[in-house]
Amino acid sequence: SKDRGRNTYNFYTHQMNHDMNRRLRVEEQLRSALKRKELEVYFQPFVDIRSRKIIGAEALLRWNSDLLGQVTPDEFIPIAEQTGLIVSIGQFVIENAFTAAKKWQLEFNPHFKIAINVSPKQFRENTFVDMLKIQLDIHQINATSVELEITEGVLLSGDPIIDSNLSWINDIGVSISMDDFGTGYSSLSYLRSYPFNTLKVDKSFIHDITVDPGDLELVGAAIAMGHGLNLTVVAEGVETEEQYHLLNALKCDYGQGYLFSKPLPRAAFEELLKTQAKN
Ligand code: C2E
Ligand code: CA
Ligand code: CA
Ligand code: CA
């Protein structure tokens, strides 16, 4: 048993070394990813549940590293956060998303909505609101067509700058969406205290609505509560027609998920809009 203890110890140190090396390699490559043009903004449509028409897109970052291959956002976004790289990367996402959204507003729908994920460090920057205003101005984007998706992690720090940034954003007319609703501990109290416009029900609740009556009940309650608070409700991770029909019956406003489309490169997303315009 002494031996087994030692082996377990070796296993853990080995695993920790491995994780640490990977992390360092990712960090090192991420530092030059922007300069090397390895980052690309993809777009996933969200549709109006009743008409099934595309009304906007969520910008989702992709990183195809020369050295590491495809690295998922779930791996590199936290590292971008910890290193502060998220500030320049976040601005890159906004520039690309606004450029594409402006084109689609001119060519397809003047009210086309663009949703952008903002992480805690990014949101706590005192230059964030100014940067946002400048980008809205440069791209001539109407603030009301922009939505910032934040998770409760953004609000958790209690930093006073969060409050002032939120009210500035609200004042200029940009919408704020609570992402991953239902997965945190404090979503409800945050909904009460902050000026949210949209509630995005986490995909983990949508996944089983056709088989788990409890999940169906929870999603129905979240939608009803959102509407009671005058919020737009979005379901993420819609993968099947059955899920779609239940969400329609529950009067969910918008849906997003593989059933409608995976996140796509800009040109492919534009093809989708063209196809829709023809029908
Ligand atoms: P998120 O904001 O919750 O984004 C939704 C995730 O669900 C995306 O993963 C999307 O590709 C995936 N998804 C969409 N439809 C379906 C579906 O029908 N089924 C399933 N199983 N998944 C679906 P992705 O693109 O890998 O992004 C993961 C997370 O990384 C995002 O979660 C977000 O928190 C973060 N992220 C991505 N892009 C950015 C960015 O530009 N800035 C920041 N700060 N975070 C980002
Ligand atoms: Ca999101
Ligand atoms: Ca989400
Ligand atoms: Ca998520």
Side-chain angles (χ1 to χ4, degrees):
S1 92
K2 218 179 194 172
D3 263 5
R4 192 180 300 146
R6 193 180 303 135
N7 283 336
T8 311
Y9 174 79
N10 281 337
F11 171 77
Y12 282 124
T13 48
H14 181 77
Q15 184 63 38
M16 280 163 68
N17 270 329
H18 181 273
D19 292 351
M20 200 115 85
N21 285 334
R22 167 76 185 177
R23 199 202 169 284
L24 287 172
R25 276 157 58 82
V26 169
E27 179 180 332
E28 191 187 6
Q29 293 307 307
L30 193 57
R31 286 192 185 281
S32 54
L34 264 183
K35 199 168 64 227
R36 294 149 62 99
K37 301 198 187 311
E38 295 175 347
L39 295 170
E40 187 178 354
V41 177
Y42 273 44
F43 298 89
Q44 186 179 37
F46 46 89
V47 306
D48 175 85
I49 290 275
R50 288 188 60 186
S51 67
R52 248 178 126 134
K53 283 234 174 347
I54 299 172
I55 51 143
E58 176 178 3
L60 291 160
L61 198 54
R62 294 291 176 266
W63 178 21
N64 188 6
S65 158
D66 278 350
L67 246 77
L68 304 167
Q70 203 74 40
V71 186
T72 67
D74 285 326
E75 182 175 12
F76 73 80
I77 294 286
I79 295 172
E81 268 283 302
Q82 288 152 21
T83 52
L85 289 166
I86 194 68
V87 177
S88 51
I89 290 176
Q91 179 168 340
F92 168 85
V93 172
I94 288 178
E95 285 167 356
N96 279 270
F98 282 8
T99 304
K102 183 64 191 183
K103 183 161 189 276
W104 298 335
Q105 286 174 350
L106 291 171
E107 289 175 16
F108 300 100
N109 168 12
H111 304 295
F112 187 90
K113 283 191 190 317
I114 185 75
I116 291 159
N117 293 286
V118 183
S119 56
K121 177 84 131 270
Q122 220 181 333
F123 205 81
R124 277 203 303 274
E125 280 290 305
N126 49 24
T127 53
F128 180 75
V129 177
D130 283 333
M131 184 272 285
L132 186 64
K133 281 192 207 155
I134 290 168
Q135 293 301 330
L136 286 169
D137 203 50
I138 290 176
H139 297 278
Q140 288 295 296
I141 293 268
N142 197 328
T144 55
S145 57
V146 177
E147 187 150 76
L148 302 181
E149 300 193 356
I150 62 175
T151 57
E152 69 167 53
V154 168
L155 307 169
L156 226 70
S157 78
D159 192 326
I161 191 149
I162 306 272
D163 283 42
S164 67
N165 276 353
L166 274 171
S167 52
W168 271 112
I169 285 162
N170 198 39
D171 284 351
I172 59 176
V174 167
S175 299
I176 300 162
S177 172
M178 177 168 284
D179 206 347
D180 300 347
F181 181 74
T183 58
Y185 295 104
S186 319
S187 319
L188 284 181
S189 64
Y190 288 135
L191 275 187
R192 193 178 56 176
S193 329
Y194 295 103
F196 283 99
N197 307 83
T198 303
L199 194 155
K200 252 184 135 165
V201 181
D202 190 67
K203 55 181 176 297
S204 61
F205 292 98
I206 307 302
H207 192 261
D208 289 331
I209 47 169
T210 54
V211 289
D212 185 331
D215 281 5
L216 181 61
E217 201 61 43
L218 281 171
V219 171
I223 293 168
M225 186 201 63
H227 289 164
L229 294 170
N230 264 320
L231 304 173
T232 300
V233 182
V234 186
E236 62 172 30
V238 184
E239 294 181 350
T240 68
E241 290 290 341
E242 293 73 17
Q243 291 167 342
Y244 168 76
H245 287 303
L246 285 174
L247 291 163
N248 195 15
L250 291 170
K251 302 267 188 294
C252 189
D253 303 291
Y254 302 154
Q256 194 180 337
Y258 298 159
L259 175 65
F260 313 112
S261 168
K262 297 203 165 191
L264 298 170
R266 179 177 161 170
F269 187 92
E270 200 164 306
E271 287 306 312
L272 210 60
L273 290 177
K274 277 186 192 147
T275 310
Q276 173 169 296
K278 277 186 221 133
N279 296 328

